[in-house]
Amino acid sequence: MAIEYQYKAKNKEGDLISGTIEAENKSVIARQLRDKGYYITEISEKRKALDVGEFLKMHKKVKLKNLAVFSQQFAAMIDAGISLVDSLNILVDQTEHRRLREVILKVRDDVETGVSLADAMAKHPAVFPQLYIQLVKAGESGGVLDRILNKLADHYDRQDELNSMVRSALYYPAVILTVGIIVVIFLVTQVVPQFVTMFQDFGSELPLPTRMLLAISTFMQSYWWALLLAFIIVLFILGRFRGTPAGKEKTDSWILKMPVIGPMMRKVYISRFSSTLAILVESGVDLLTALAIVEDVVGNKVYGEILTKARVRVREGSNLSDPLQESGEFPAMVVQMISVGEETGAIGTMLNKVSTFYDRQVEASVDGAISLIEPVMIVLLAVMVGFVAISIVTPMFDMFQQF
C-alpha cells in the first residue's frame, strides 16, 4: 500500500528542492532520489487534514482477538517458509484493523533495515505488550518463531474468551439496572405529573408513598441538571482516584472483597497469572523476567504487588511457591502445584494445569453469578416499579370509593 511522503533534497547545483512522492516506504524514495543525483536532507510522511473518522480508526485499541488473528496468520506464513518481510507485506494487505496495519508497516520497514522483529515491535508498546515482545525475542533466538507465534495466538484466544465471559457476567446486571432506572425516571418525570392535578383537585390527604413520589418527581423535574452534574463529578472523582497507585490498589482490593463478583475475579486473576507465566517459562524466558511481565499482565494491583515481592524473594534464592503461600491470596492447591513443578522441573506444565482448571472455574462462576444476580435484579426492579404503581393506584382507589 503506497504512502505519500514529503521530501527535501539538494540537486547537483546545490539548490534546495522539495516535493511529494507515493511509495511503500522511505527506502524506496531514498533510492529514487539518489538515482537522480540528489542529496537527501529530509523524508517524512505527509500529514493529512484531520478526519475525525480516520482519527478514531487510527486510535482504535488493538484487542486481544486482533493479536490472536495476526499471530495465527504470521505463524502460518513463517511455517510455510515465507521470509519475515514478505510475511509482513502480506499481513499488511490482510489486516483490517487500521491501527494494527499501520504498525505492521512500520515494523516491516524496520525489519527491512536489519532490525530484529522483537526490537521493531518493541517500538510500539501500545500494540505489542512486553509478553509478546519477549516471546518473539525467544522465538527468534531459538529459531522457533512459528511455534512461539502459535502459542501466542492460543494464549490471546484463551484470554479473549475468558474476558468475554467476565464481561457477560458484569454487563448483564448493569444493562438490566440501567434500563430499570430509565423506566422509573420516565414514570416519575412524565407519568406521575399527569396525576398531580387530579390528586390536588381531589382535596383529601394523600398516602405517604404518594407524597414521597410527588416530592421525588418535583425534585427531579426541578433539579435534574444538579443530579446529572453530581453523577458526572462522582465519576470524575472515582476515575482520578482509580488513576493513582494507591487508588488502584484500594479499588482492586474492594473488587476482591465484593460478594459473588470477588471470588469470580480472583479465579480470573489466578488463571491469567498461571497461563501467562506458563507460556513465558516454557518459551525459555527466565523466571525473574517472566514475573516482571506477569505483574503488569495480571490486571490487579493486589496480585501485582504480591508478584513484585515474590520476584525479590526469588532473586534472593527463595522458591516461588513460598511468597505466594505467605500472601494468602493464592489457594493452597495452586501453591502446592507450583511447588511440585519447582521440585520436578516442570513448573510450566503445572501452571498450564492450574490455568486449565481455573478457566473451567471461571466459566462455572460466571454462570453462577448470572443465576444469582438475575433474581436480585428482578426483585429490585419489581420493588422500584411496584412503589411507583402503588403510589399512583392507592389514591385512585380512595377516589373511587368516595364516589
Side-chain angles (χ1 to χ4, degrees), residues 149-169:
L149 288 169
N150 276 318
K151 280 187 177 182
L152 281 166
D154 292 341
H155 173 76
Y156 283 121
D157 255 336
R158 193 172 173 183
Q159 291 300 311
D160 182 64
E161 185 179 352
L162 197 68
N163 291 344
S164 296
M165 286 191 292
V166 173
R167 282 194 295 268
S168 69

Side-chain angles (χ1 to χ4, degrees), residues 10 43 54-55 120 125 163 178 201 253 267 277 304 337 339 371:
K10 290 183 179 180
I43 299 176
E54 288 297 310
F55 178 82
N163 291 344
T178 301
D201 293 341
S253 178
K267 291 169 185 175
L277 189 57
M337 292 190 74
S339 179
S371 64

Side-chain angles (χ1 to χ4, degrees), residues 32 58 113 137 156 185-186 198 284 289 311 322-323 352 366 382:
Q32 290 177 2
M58 280 297 296
T113 61
K137 186 180 292 185
Y156 283 121
I185 290 175
F186 173 78
M198 182 175 63
T289 302
R311 182 158 52 92
D322 293 338
N352 272 322
V366 168

Side-chain angles (χ1 to χ4, degrees), residues 254-311:
W254 289 341
I255 289 172
L256 295 176
K257 294 175 183 176
M258 288 175 65
V260 182
I261 300 298
M264 179 184 70
M265 293 306 299
R266 192 181 300 273
K267 291 169 185 175
V268 171
Y269 298 137
I270 292 174
S271 173
R272 195 176 292 161
F273 152 78
S274 53
S275 64
T276 306
L277 189 57
I279 191 174
L280 285 163
V281 171
E282 289 183 335
S283 300
V285 179
D286 67 273
L287 186 57
L288 290 176
T289 302
L291 286 171
I293 295 171
V294 178
E295 287 170 26
D296 297 325
V297 172
V298 72
N300 183 280
K301 190 70 173 176
V302 175
Y303 280 94
E305 290 293 328
I306 292 170
L307 294 175
T308 300
K309 294 174 183 176
R311 182 158 52 92

Side-chain angles (χ1 to χ4, degrees), residues 120-330:
M121 288 179 168
K123 295 181 180 180
H124 310 281
V127 173
F128 297 108
Q130 273 298 312
L131 168 65
Y132 205 101
I133 294 163
Q134 288 293 333
L135 289 182
V136 168
K137 186 180 292 185
E140 284 185 300
S141 62
V144 289
L145 184 59
D146 55 333
R147 282 172 26 196
I148 290 295
L149 288 169
N150 276 318
K151 280 187 177 182
L152 281 166
D154 292 341
H155 173 76
Y156 283 121
D157 255 336
R158 193 172 173 183
Q159 291 300 311
D160 182 64
E161 185 179 352
L162 197 68
N163 291 344
S164 296
M165 286 191 292
V166 173
R167 282 194 295 268
S168 69
L170 299 179
Y171 287 176
Y172 177 77
V175 170
I176 296 297
L177 188 60
T178 301
V179 171
I181 291 173
I182 291 173
V183 169
V184 171
I185 290 175
F186 173 78
L187 291 174
V188 170
T189 58
Q190 302 297 321
V191 178
V192 171
Q194 304 297 323
F195 292 89
V196 171
T197 304
M198 182 175 63
F199 291 156
Q200 288 174 341
D201 293 341
F202 180 55
S204 63
E205 184 178 358
L206 297 174
L208 178 61
T210 306
R211 294 200 304 272
M212 291 172 59
L213 185 63
L214 288 176
I216 293 171
S217 175
T218 303
F219 179 82
M220 291 184 69
Q221 290 182 82
S222 302
Y223 299 102
W224 62 268
W225 56 270
L227 293 173
L228 180 61
L229 182 62
F231 179 72
I232 294 172
I233 290 172
V234 169
L235 285 182
F236 176 76
I237 292 172
L238 287 175
R240 291 295 297 269
F241 178 67
R242 172 78 175 169
T244 64
K248 189 173 189 317
E249 186 171 3
K250 194 71 175 176
T251 52
D252 283 350
S253 178
W254 289 341
I255 289 172
L256 295 176
K257 294 175 183 176
M258 288 175 65
V260 182
I261 300 298
M264 179 184 70
M265 293 306 299
R266 192 181 300 273
K267 291 169 185 175
V268 171
Y269 298 137
I270 292 174
S271 173
R272 195 176 292 161
F273 152 78
S274 53
S275 64
T276 306
L277 189 57
I279 191 174
L280 285 163
V281 171
E282 289 183 335
S283 300
V285 179
D286 67 273
L287 186 57
L288 290 176
T289 302
L291 286 171
I293 295 171
V294 178
E295 287 170 26
D296 297 325
V297 172
V298 72
N300 183 280
K301 190 70 173 176
V302 175
Y303 280 94
E305 290 293 328
I306 292 170
L307 294 175
T308 300
K309 294 174 183 176
R311 182 158 52 92
V312 173
R313 292 278 298 277
V314 170
R315 186 185 293 117
E316 293 171 350
S318 171
N319 289 330
L320 174 60
S321 54
D322 293 338
L324 298 186
Q325 183 177 25
E326 292 167 9
S327 70
E329 295 291 344
F330 286 83

Side-chain angles (χ1 to χ4, degrees), residues 65-81:
K65 191 66 179 176
N66 300 127
L67 284 177
V69 173
F70 166 77
S71 302
Q72 285 173 338
Q73 294 175 334
F74 203 179
M77 293 176 200
I78 299 297
D79 187 45

